[in-house]
Amino acid sequence: MDRYRGFEVNLVCGAGGAEIGGIDASRPLAPEVVAELRRALAEHCVIFLRDQVLTPEQQKAFARHFGPLARTPFIKPLDGHPEMMRIVREPQEAKKLNFGGRWHTDMTFSPEPVLGTCLYARESPAVGGDTIWTNQMLAFEALSPAMQRMLEKLTVMHSAKRSYGPQGTYADDDLKSMRIQASDAALKEQPHPCIRTHPETGRSILYVNWVYAIRFQDMTEAESAPLLDFLNRHSQRPEFQIRFRWRQGSLALWDNRSTQHIAVNDYPGYRRVMDRVTISGDKPYLKETP
Ligand SMILES: O=C(O)CCC(=O)C(=O)O
Ligand SMILES: [Fe+2]
């Protein structure tokens, strides 16, 4: 396993997820530690820190080490913290769908989807409420060379319409407390390469996700569905998954360029409270290979 200067790393799954010891996220980090954390993030898709005690201000400062914070445009922020959302689910809430309860990659309907998302557990269920990520680099690498070459030529159109549009999955759901209001821009289609290059490692990433990848460019949704469906099911293979059991004080930062994720909805009767910030990202691209 790779060694890192300044902290210890334990992988949580074969597919990745780096649990990092010996870092207090409430304090400013030295640039060389941040560089090593970035390396662990790019390599292992998600980094986890346990037993952190953080104010919203301190969580924002931790996330800012990785880039400027982004705002989630159509969800009500936490009072006094426009870049932060508090995701609350009460024990008695019998919801059809929880926030993040379908496989997705955050904000791929935007031209520059967020680089990463940083989630902090204020309250977690005694049992259940895990988050699962997929490693989309491993998903790419497991495809046949012919499929890889074909996908490298394709562009995928992304949109929030299936989730947050007037007929979307969240339209008649009781996530109303989060006041989700999609902007017109989020409901338009945004093109991204089907295979993107990781800007820090140069690795190839299968860049599709269940919720926002609507169709291939110049093809209909019906024509695109069988292949998108295959690629999403392929991505969800157990050996590409990283599953994390939260405890109060757990902090996760995931690489949103190389993962899909889902919030598992299996904790009726328990309260779950998560604070969330996102880090601005760049426009996805595929680097030509000679
Ligand atoms: O609550 C979770 O586990 C993840 C929710 C989610 O999709 C997100 O924060 O982007
Ligand atoms: Fe998400």
Side-chain angles (χ1 to χ4, degrees):
M1 195 218 297
D2 291 354
R3 296 194 159 274
Y4 291 89
R5 264 170 288 128
F7 49 82
E8 290 161 27
V9 169
N10 283 299
L11 291 192
V12 302
C13 289
E19 194 165 322
I20 297 190
I23 288 189
D24 178 353
S26 73
R27 303 171 70 89
L29 301 174
E32 50 280 15
V33 172
V34 176
E36 286 289 84
L37 288 174
R38 283 192 89 100
R39 193 160 73 82
L41 180 68
E43 185 73 20
H44 303 299
C45 298
V46 200
I47 57 178
F48 303 109
L49 280 73
R50 294 282 190 188
D51 305 319
Q52 302 293 317
V53 181
L54 299 177
T55 63
E57 215 45 75
Q58 288 166 330
Q59 184 183 349
K60 288 196 290 185
F62 172 79
R64 275 199 198 99
H65 286 111
F66 300 88
L69 300 187
R71 293 187 186 188
T72 300
F74 42 80
I75 298 180
K76 184 179 91 72
L78 184 64
D79 283 345
H81 298 278
E83 316 90 336
M84 183 172 276
M85 263 166 67
R86 181 159 287 173
I87 309 169
V88 182
R89 208 170 101 133
E90 300 294 348
Q92 74 281 7
E93 285 179 306
K95 291 184 189 299
K96 278 187 272 180
L97 186 57
N98 54 330
F99 180 76
R102 296 264 192 276
W103 286 105
H104 67 287
T105 303
D106 292 335
M107 312 272 300
T108 63
F109 48 82
S110 62
E112 298 182 344
V114 295
L115 175 153
T117 301
C118 176
L119 209 55
Y120 175 59
R122 294 208 159 270
E123 272 183 60
S124 55
V127 60
D130 293 0
T131 307
I132 310 176
W133 292 265
T134 59
N135 180 332
Q136 296 294 126
M137 301 178 291
L138 293 183
F140 172 81
E141 287 157 17
L143 295 168
S144 65
M147 179 63 106
Q148 292 176 343
R149 297 295 89 75
M150 186 187 80
L151 296 177
E152 282 167 355
K153 297 190 190 74
L154 298 181
T155 297
V156 177
M157 308 304 286
H158 294 246
S159 155
K161 68 180 180 185
R162 279 194 200 145
S163 43
Y164 300 135
Q167 259 82 54
T169 26
Y170 284 100
D172 62 351
D173 195 76
D174 47 358
L175 271 173
K176 298 264 191 299
S177 64
M178 298 194 77
R179 290 201 235 144
I180 297 171
Q181 262 287 297
S183 63
D184 288 347
L187 302 179
K188 292 218 181 77
E189 292 186 338
Q190 181 64 45
H192 291 304
C194 184
I195 307 301
R196 72 179 289 189
T197 303
H198 196 293
E200 289 167 47
T201 62
R203 281 175 78 183
S204 292
I205 297 163
L206 174 57
Y207 197 55
V208 296
N209 70 83
W210 196 270
V211 168
Y212 301 127
I214 301 294
R215 64 184 178 94
F216 294 103
Q217 193 170 41
D218 303 326
M219 289 174 66
T220 65
E221 288 186 32
E223 288 167 341
S224 309
L227 183 51
L228 281 177
D229 201 53
F230 163 76
L231 293 173
N232 279 310
R233 286 181 197 284
H234 166 79
S235 301
Q236 291 156 19
R237 273 164 47 175
E239 63 270 35
F240 307 146
Q241 291 186 5
I242 299 161
R243 183 170 184 138
F244 187 63
R245 172 92 198 89
W246 297 93
R247 293 195 306 256
Q248 187 184 337
S250 302
L251 183 71
L253 171 63
W254 64 85
D255 191 335
N256 193 56
R257 300 165 294 193
S258 59
T259 52
Q260 297 191 41
H261 59 278
I262 188 169
V264 181
N265 190 2
D266 64 348
Y267 53 98
Y270 291 110
R271 191 164 198 257
R272 185 176 187 268
V273 182
M274 312 293 275
D275 280 354
R276 177 183 190 273
V277 291
T278 51
I279 298 154
S280 304
D282 301 326
K283 198 167 175 48
Y285 62 89
L286 173 65
K287 193 164 174 229
E288 302 293 332
T289 42

